[in-house]
Amino acid sequence: MKLSTLIVACIAAAVVVFGVRNFESEPSPTDTTEQAVAPAAPAPVSPIKTLTSTSCPSDGCPVSCAEDDTLLSAFCVSGTKARFADTLKLAGGKLTATCGMGASSILAYCGRP
């Protein structure tokens, strides 16, 4: 029973602390000082990009990432099943993933270090 009382007391203390902090940080409606409006921050850009190729039956769907990206993972998709890429090749400092003839597409993930 003492543990549940301690938990309730901690939650109540957190509500009081955060409530006071929020109350103090909100400007009062009678405050005549002008608030500087900060410009909106740009939306964060995901460091991971997704590439898809559907040319597997003809050339094995070779995919590689942009110059400043790194190939993180590649999956060969066949119907409702997926497996890791059949072949990974490193040529000229660039990693390329390909699939076999049975795949219908490849899904690759590239990321920035």
Side-chain angles (χ1 to χ4, degrees):
M1 193 67 160
K2 289 184 180 185
L3 180 61
S4 62
T5 305
L6 180 62
I7 292 172
V8 170
C10 288
I11 292 173
V15 168
V16 169
V17 168
F18 289 116
V20 169
R21 187 178 294 166
N22 286 338
F23 180 74
E24 291 175 354
S25 65
E26 293 177 8
S28 66
T30 59
D31 191 8
T32 57
T33 60
E34 289 187 30
Q35 298 288 331
V37 177
V45 177
S46 175
I48 298 176
K49 298 175 188 172
T50 305
L51 301 175
T52 304
S53 177
T54 57
S55 63
C56 294
S58 63
D59 65 357
C61 293
V63 291
S64 57
C65 299
E67 288 289 324
D68 53 347
D69 291 342
T70 302
L71 181 67
L72 301 174
S73 185
F75 297 95
C76 298
V77 180
S78 176
T80 59
K81 297 180 181 181
R83 65 183 185 281
F84 285 110
D86 296 331
T87 308
L88 296 175
K89 295 180 184 177
L90 182 63
K94 202 171 213 183
L95 190 62
T96 302
T98 57
C99 293
M101 298 300 276
S104 59
S105 65
I106 188 169
L107 178 65
Y109 295 99
C110 302
R112 287 208 173 155

